[in-house]
Amino acid sequence: MLKMFVFGENDDVITWVAAETQGQAIDLYENITGDEIAHWFNDLNEYAREMDSDEMMTYYHDGKTPEKDTIQNLINKYCDTPDIFATSEF
């Protein structure tokens, strides 16, 4: 079952990754972005937080239309496999 992990909540760029585990999310994040974060933090929850399935998020699936829904509903609607879900950079 996919869960949502948010990376860099206190940084300029925030990234959301859909994955089955935190370890899988970190591997995806590092492989896609090239940022190696695992060795920088004693507690990876400081940088890669698992989001609550009932947490609300506004997602722009087409880059311009806001869709506010729960994390679980967005996962169910848009995620088939583990991958980067969104980034605040765009």
Side-chain angles (χ1 to χ4, degrees):
M1 183 172 117
L2 293 175
K3 304 171 189 177
M4 191 69 71
F5 296 87
V6 59
F7 288 74
E9 285 183 289
N10 298 318
D11 294 345
D12 291 335
V13 177
I14 302 169
T15 303
W16 292 266
V17 177
E20 295 174 357
T21 66
Q22 184 185 52
Q24 183 182 52
I26 290 169
D27 287 345
L28 281 166
Y29 178 85
E30 289 182 337
N31 288 333
I32 292 171
T33 66
D35 293 338
E36 295 183 19
I37 64 156
H39 67 278
W40 292 357
F41 297 92
N42 290 330
D43 179 6
L44 290 175
N45 291 317
E46 292 177 28
Y47 198 79
R49 177 179 70 86
E50 180 179 340
M51 299 179 76
D52 184 69
S53 62
D54 293 330
E55 201 168 330
M56 297 298 289
M57 178 181 180
T58 301
Y59 179 58
Y60 295 81
H61 69 278
D62 62 1
K64 52 190 165 188
T65 308
E67 179 178 354
K68 188 169 186 169
D69 207 340
T70 66
I71 290 297
Q72 191 60 57
N73 287 341
L74 292 171
I75 288 171
N76 292 345
K77 188 171 183 179
Y78 294 107
C79 300
D80 294 331
T81 59
D83 203 349
I84 297 272
F85 179 73
T87 181
S88 64
E89 193 170 44
F90 298 112

